[in-house]
Amino acid sequence: MSTITLPTDQGAHLLAISWQWEFAHRVLPDLLEALWVTVRVTIFASVLAVTAGWVWLALRKTPFLPVRAASWLMLEFIRDTPPLVHLFMAFYVFPIYGVTWSPFMVGVVVLGVHYSSFVSEVYRGSLAAIPSGHFEAARVLGLSKLRTWWSVVIPQVLRESLPALGNVVLALMKETALLVAISVPVLMTVAQRAGSRSFRYLEPLTVAALLYLLFTIPFGLFVRRMEKRHAH
């Protein structure tokens, strides 16, 4: 099977023809608005994930065996099934039983709950890294179990978890692209709509990818800086 190789100048000429700056400029305002929606979904879902992660951890640590078993099964189901399945269930199945949310809220709740299962594992690993002597010292000081957790355990777990939590937020940001399936106006939804209307996908998808990078690269650098600080 033969391969046709274009000269460099001809390939550059074809690329210039295929890319339309005017069209890219025309779709940019809608994509910038979609970026704000994407960031909002990321923020709200991340807050939910970080908060719900503590709930999962508490359920996993309860002395009541049935609760521990039920929480373990639920976490395994959430973690081991695709979030797209959860999106479709929340958007199409839940309304049958009277649970109706806006597409935006469905995206926030589904992504937040899905990533809370990973956050709980981050917390669990950080908790295991706390020396047992800290708990013994809290008992010697006469601290209650609640005060021990609030004043001793939670601050240390959060400090140990910060780098991993940053990576969770980055992953969640990228997973917002799945919300195109339920028409939440995130970056991928708006880019796909712009492409389907004009039959030109190059410009909107490329600009959308660049806008994702506009958020993820600075945040990724921040996460790596936290990792270095934590290492020292």
Side-chain angles (χ1 to χ4, degrees):
M1 182 175 177
S2 60
T3 302
I4 299 175
T5 304
L6 293 172
T8 303
D9 57 344
Q10 187 177 355
H13 179 64
L14 290 175
L15 179 61
I17 293 175
S18 63
W19 178 269
Q20 293 185 5
W21 285 104
E22 187 275 334
F23 181 60
H25 184 266
R26 192 164 72 244
V27 300
L28 180 59
D30 290 338
L31 291 172
L32 287 173
E33 186 176 345
L35 175 63
W36 173 233
V37 176
T38 303
V39 171
R40 284 167 53 211
V41 171
T42 303
I43 292 173
F44 294 146
S46 297
V47 171
L48 176 60
V50 169
T51 305
W54 287 111
V55 177
W56 290 122
L57 180 64
L59 292 174
R60 291 291 301 276
K61 292 298 181 181
T62 182
F64 193 43
L65 180 59
V67 173
R68 288 206 312 273
S71 62
W72 178 81
L73 287 173
M74 184 62 70
L75 281 171
E76 289 300 312
F77 171 78
I78 294 172
R79 193 164 44 238
D80 297 336
T81 52
L84 188 59
V85 174
H86 306 160
L87 281 172
F88 284 152
M89 288 181 64
F91 193 71
Y92 294 110
V93 178
F94 286 9
I96 298 175
Y97 300 97
V99 181
T100 304
W101 295 326
S102 68
F104 181 89
M105 185 58 65
V106 169
V108 168
V109 172
V110 168
L111 291 180
V113 172
H114 181 77
Y115 276 91
S116 71
S117 63
F118 296 97
V119 170
S120 70
E121 287 300 302
V122 172
Y123 289 160
R124 192 165 67 90
S126 299
L127 179 62
I130 298 177
S132 59
H134 291 196
F135 295 94
E136 295 171 1
R139 283 196 296 269
V140 169
L141 292 173
L143 299 181
S144 66
K145 192 170 184 179
L146 180 61
R147 182 66 183 274
T148 299
W149 272 83
W150 183 257
S151 302
V152 179
V153 177
I154 291 179
Q156 292 189 73
V157 168
L158 284 176
R159 186 172 62 250
E160 293 285 334
S161 303
L162 276 178
L165 291 179
N167 289 320
V168 167
V169 173
L170 277 176
L172 196 156
M173 167 74 169
K174 290 180 283 187
E175 289 279 27
T176 58
L178 293 175
L179 302 188
V180 65
I182 58 172
S183 299
V184 179
V186 291
L187 271 172
M188 280 303 300
T189 305
V190 174
Q192 189 272 338
R193 288 175 180 172
S196 63
R197 286 195 301 266
S198 61
F199 298 101
R200 291 194 59 87
Y201 288 90
L202 175 61
E203 293 85 0
L205 290 178
T206 302
V207 174
L210 292 174
L211 289 176
Y212 273 115
L213 290 175
L214 184 67
F215 179 89
T216 57
I217 287 180
F219 192 80
L221 293 173
F222 173 70
V223 170
R224 283 193 285 274
R225 185 176 179 183
M226 285 197 305
E227 290 174 347
K228 289 180 181 179
R229 289 184 61 182
H230 177 73
H232 296 294

PDB file of all heavy atoms in Angstrom, residues 41 87 91 101-109 179 182-185:
ATOM      1  N   VAL A  41     -19.230  23.576  37.259  1.00  0.00           N
ATOM      2  CA  VAL A  41     -19.490  22.155  37.515  1.00  0.00           C
ATOM      3  C   VAL A  41     -18.322  21.540  38.282  1.00  0.00           C
ATOM      4  O   VAL A  41     -18.514  20.788  39.249  1.00  0.00           O
ATOM      5  CB  VAL A  41     -19.730  21.390  36.195  1.00  0.00           C
ATOM      6  CG1 VAL A  41     -19.787  19.886  36.455  1.00  0.00           C
ATOM      7  CG2 VAL A  41     -21.009  21.843  35.528  1.00  0.00           C
ATOM      8  N   LEU A  87     -24.757   8.913  34.929  1.00  0.00           N
ATOM      9  CA  LEU A  87     -25.417  10.073  34.327  1.00  0.00           C
ATOM     10  C   LEU A  87     -26.753   9.682  33.692  1.00  0.00           C
ATOM     11  O   LEU A  87     -27.772  10.343  33.905  1.00  0.00           O
ATOM     12  CB  LEU A  87     -24.518  10.709  33.268  1.00  0.00           C
ATOM     13  CG  LEU A  87     -23.377  11.605  33.751  1.00  0.00           C
ATOM     14  CD1 LEU A  87     -22.479  11.988  32.587  1.00  0.00           C
ATOM     15  CD2 LEU A  87     -23.930  12.864  34.421  1.00  0.00           C
ATOM     16  N   PHE A  91     -30.413  10.878  34.948  1.00  0.00           N
ATOM     17  CA  PHE A  91     -31.129  11.771  34.035  1.00  0.00           C
ATOM     18  C   PHE A  91     -32.380  11.131  33.441  1.00  0.00           C
ATOM     19  O   PHE A  91     -33.396  11.818  33.246  1.00  0.00           O
ATOM     20  CB  PHE A  91     -30.184  12.197  32.904  1.00  0.00           C
ATOM     21  CG  PHE A  91     -30.707  13.340  32.078  1.00  0.00           C
ATOM     22  CD1 PHE A  91     -30.775  14.620  32.607  1.00  0.00           C
ATOM     23  CD2 PHE A  91     -31.145  13.140  30.780  1.00  0.00           C
ATOM     24  CE1 PHE A  91     -31.261  15.682  31.853  1.00  0.00           C
ATOM     25  CE2 PHE A  91     -31.625  14.195  30.018  1.00  0.00           C
ATOM     26  CZ  PHE A  91     -31.683  15.468  30.546  1.00  0.00           C
ATOM     27  N   TRP A 101     -34.016  16.448  38.458  1.00  0.00           N
ATOM     28  CA  TRP A 101     -33.048  17.528  38.617  1.00  0.00           C
ATOM     29  C   TRP A 101     -32.785  18.163  37.257  1.00  0.00           C
ATOM     30  O   TRP A 101     -33.032  17.564  36.208  1.00  0.00           O
ATOM     31  CB  TRP A 101     -31.714  17.007  39.171  1.00  0.00           C
ATOM     32  CG  TRP A 101     -31.779  16.455  40.545  1.00  0.00           C
ATOM     33  CD1 TRP A 101     -32.567  16.877  41.560  1.00  0.00           C
ATOM     34  CD2 TRP A 101     -31.014  15.355  41.072  1.00  0.00           C
ATOM     35  NE1 TRP A 101     -32.346  16.133  42.693  1.00  0.00           N
ATOM     36  CE2 TRP A 101     -31.396  15.187  42.419  1.00  0.00           C
ATOM     37  CE3 TRP A 101     -30.049  14.511  40.547  1.00  0.00           C
ATOM     38  CZ2 TRP A 101     -30.841  14.213  43.227  1.00  0.00           C
ATOM     39  CZ3 TRP A 101     -29.485  13.538  41.351  1.00  0.00           C
ATOM     40  CH2 TRP A 101     -29.884  13.394  42.675  1.00  0.00           C
ATOM     41  N   SER A 102     -32.254  19.375  37.286  1.00  0.00           N
ATOM     42  CA  SER A 102     -31.803  20.002  36.046  1.00  0.00           C
ATOM     43  C   SER A 102     -30.568  19.258  35.544  1.00  0.00           C
ATOM     44  O   SER A 102     -29.865  18.603  36.325  1.00  0.00           O
ATOM     45  CB  SER A 102     -31.458  21.468  36.295  1.00  0.00           C
ATOM     46  OG  SER A 102     -30.305  21.572  37.121  1.00  0.00           O
ATOM     47  N   PRO A 103     -30.286  19.335  34.239  1.00  0.00           N
ATOM     48  CA  PRO A 103     -29.072  18.678  33.732  1.00  0.00           C
ATOM     49  C   PRO A 103     -27.806  19.135  34.459  1.00  0.00           C
ATOM     50  O   PRO A 103     -26.910  18.322  34.728  1.00  0.00           O
ATOM     51  CB  PRO A 103     -29.050  19.074  32.254  1.00  0.00           C
ATOM     52  CG  PRO A 103     -30.484  19.317  31.909  1.00  0.00           C
ATOM     53  CD  PRO A 103     -31.099  19.910  33.149  1.00  0.00           C
ATOM     54  N   PHE A 104     -27.719  20.431  34.770  1.00  0.00           N
ATOM     55  CA  PHE A 104     -26.557  20.944  35.495  1.00  0.00           C
ATOM     56  C   PHE A 104     -26.414  20.255  36.842  1.00  0.00           C
ATOM     57  O   PHE A 104     -25.323  19.809  37.222  1.00  0.00           O
ATOM     58  CB  PHE A 104     -26.682  22.453  35.680  1.00  0.00           C
ATOM     59  CG  PHE A 104     -25.528  23.088  36.403  1.00  0.00           C
ATOM     60  CD1 PHE A 104     -24.419  23.535  35.701  1.00  0.00           C
ATOM     61  CD2 PHE A 104     -25.540  23.243  37.786  1.00  0.00           C
ATOM     62  CE1 PHE A 104     -23.344  24.127  36.362  1.00  0.00           C
ATOM     63  CE2 PHE A 104     -24.474  23.829  38.454  1.00  0.00           C
ATOM     64  CZ  PHE A 104     -23.369  24.270  37.738  1.00  0.00           C
ATOM     65  N   MET A 105     -27.523  20.133  37.582  1.00  0.00           N
ATOM     66  CA  MET A 105     -27.473  19.507  38.898  1.00  0.00           C
ATOM     67  C   MET A 105     -27.154  18.021  38.788  1.00  0.00           C
ATOM     68  O   MET A 105     -26.418  17.475  39.626  1.00  0.00           O
ATOM     69  CB  MET A 105     -28.808  19.707  39.622  1.00  0.00           C
ATOM     70  CG  MET A 105     -28.809  19.188  41.057  1.00  0.00           C
ATOM     71  SD  MET A 105     -27.540  19.966  42.091  1.00  0.00           S
ATOM     72  CE  MET A 105     -28.127  21.648  42.109  1.00  0.00           C
ATOM     73  N   VAL A 106     -27.696  17.363  37.776  1.00  0.00           N
ATOM     74  CA  VAL A 106     -27.365  15.953  37.564  1.00  0.00           C
ATOM     75  C   VAL A 106     -25.860  15.794  37.368  1.00  0.00           C
ATOM     76  O   VAL A 106     -25.230  14.901  37.958  1.00  0.00           O
ATOM     77  CB  VAL A 106     -28.125  15.390  36.345  1.00  0.00           C
ATOM     78  CG1 VAL A 106     -27.580  14.008  35.963  1.00  0.00           C
ATOM     79  CG2 VAL A 106     -29.610  15.288  36.641  1.00  0.00           C
ATOM     80  N   GLY A 107     -25.266  16.662  36.545  1.00  0.00           N
ATOM     81  CA  GLY A 107     -23.827  16.581  36.318  1.00  0.00           C
ATOM     82  C   GLY A 107     -23.032  16.787  37.585  1.00  0.00           C
ATOM     83  O   GLY A 107     -22.075  16.042  37.865  1.00  0.00           O
ATOM     84  N   VAL A 108     -23.406  17.787  38.377  1.00  0.00           N
ATOM     85  CA  VAL A 108     -22.693  18.074  39.624  1.00  0.00           C
ATOM     86  C   VAL A 108     -22.794  16.897  40.585  1.00  0.00           C
ATOM     87  O   VAL A 108     -21.786  16.439  41.145  1.00  0.00           O
ATOM     88  CB  VAL A 108     -23.238  19.358  40.276  1.00  0.00           C
ATOM     89  CG1 VAL A 108     -22.717  19.509  41.705  1.00  0.00           C
ATOM     90  CG2 VAL A 108     -22.867  20.589  39.447  1.00  0.00           C
ATOM     91  N   VAL A 109     -24.009  16.392  40.788  1.00  0.00           N
ATOM     92  CA  VAL A 109     -24.214  15.319  41.768  1.00  0.00           C
ATOM     93  C   VAL A 109     -23.535  14.033  41.321  1.00  0.00           C
ATOM     94  O   VAL A 109     -22.846  13.365  42.114  1.00  0.00           O
ATOM     95  CB  VAL A 109     -25.721  15.088  42.005  1.00  0.00           C
ATOM     96  CG1 VAL A 109     -25.947  13.848  42.858  1.00  0.00           C
ATOM     97  CG2 VAL A 109     -26.346  16.313  42.668  1.00  0.00           C
ATOM     98  N   LEU A 179     -20.643  15.291  30.118  1.00  0.00           N
ATOM     99  CA  LEU A 179     -21.951  15.920  30.274  1.00  0.00           C
ATOM    100  C   LEU A 179     -22.557  16.335  28.948  1.00  0.00           C
ATOM    101  O   LEU A 179     -23.709  16.761  28.894  1.00  0.00           O
ATOM    102  CB  LEU A 179     -21.842  17.136  31.210  1.00  0.00           C
ATOM    103  CG  LEU A 179     -21.293  16.856  32.607  1.00  0.00           C
ATOM    104  CD1 LEU A 179     -21.411  18.078  33.488  1.00  0.00           C
ATOM    105  CD2 LEU A 179     -21.974  15.660  33.239  1.00  0.00           C
ATOM    106  N   ILE A 182     -25.876  14.616  28.274  1.00  0.00           N
ATOM    107  CA  ILE A 182     -27.165  15.077  28.801  1.00  0.00           C
ATOM    108  C   ILE A 182     -27.349  16.572  28.543  1.00  0.00           C
ATOM    109  O   ILE A 182     -28.158  17.228  29.193  1.00  0.00           O
ATOM    110  CB  ILE A 182     -27.299  14.771  30.313  1.00  0.00           C
ATOM    111  CG1 ILE A 182     -26.162  15.420  31.111  1.00  0.00           C
ATOM    112  CG2 ILE A 182     -27.338  13.260  30.563  1.00  0.00           C
ATOM    113  CD1 ILE A 182     -26.345  15.309  32.617  1.00  0.00           C
ATOM    114  N   SER A 183     -26.589  17.095  27.588  1.00  0.00           N
ATOM    115  CA  SER A 183     -26.763  18.464  27.064  1.00  0.00           C
ATOM    116  C   SER A 183     -26.479  19.574  28.072  1.00  0.00           C
ATOM    117  O   SER A 183     -27.019  20.673  27.940  1.00  0.00           O
ATOM    118  CB  SER A 183     -28.179  18.638  26.496  1.00  0.00           C
ATOM    119  OG  SER A 183     -28.397  17.740  25.428  1.00  0.00           O
ATOM    120  N   VAL A 184     -25.644  19.327  29.060  1.00  0.00           N
ATOM    121  CA  VAL A 184     -25.173  20.426  29.907  1.00  0.00           C
ATOM    122  C   VAL A 184     -24.227  21.271  29.058  1.00  0.00           C
ATOM    123  O   VAL A 184     -23.324  20.721  28.409  1.00  0.00           O
ATOM    124  CB  VAL A 184     -24.441  19.897  31.157  1.00  0.00           C
ATOM    125  CG1 VAL A 184     -23.942  21.051  32.018  1.00  0.00           C
ATOM    126  CG2 VAL A 184     -25.364  18.999  31.966  1.00  0.00           C
ATOM    127  N   PRO A 185     -24.389  22.594  29.014  1.00  0.00           N
ATOM    128  CA  PRO A 185     -23.589  23.423  28.098  1.00  0.00           C
ATOM    129  C   PRO A 185     -22.150  23.620  28.545  1.00  0.00           C
ATOM    130  O   PRO A 185     -21.671  24.747  28.714  1.00  0.00           O
ATOM    131  CB  PRO A 185     -24.359  24.745  28.068  1.00  0.00           C
ATOM    132  CG  PRO A 185     -25.045  24.819  29.386  1.00  0.00           C
ATOM    133  CD  PRO A 185     -25.417  23.400  29.727  1.00  0.00           C
TER     134      PRO A 185
END
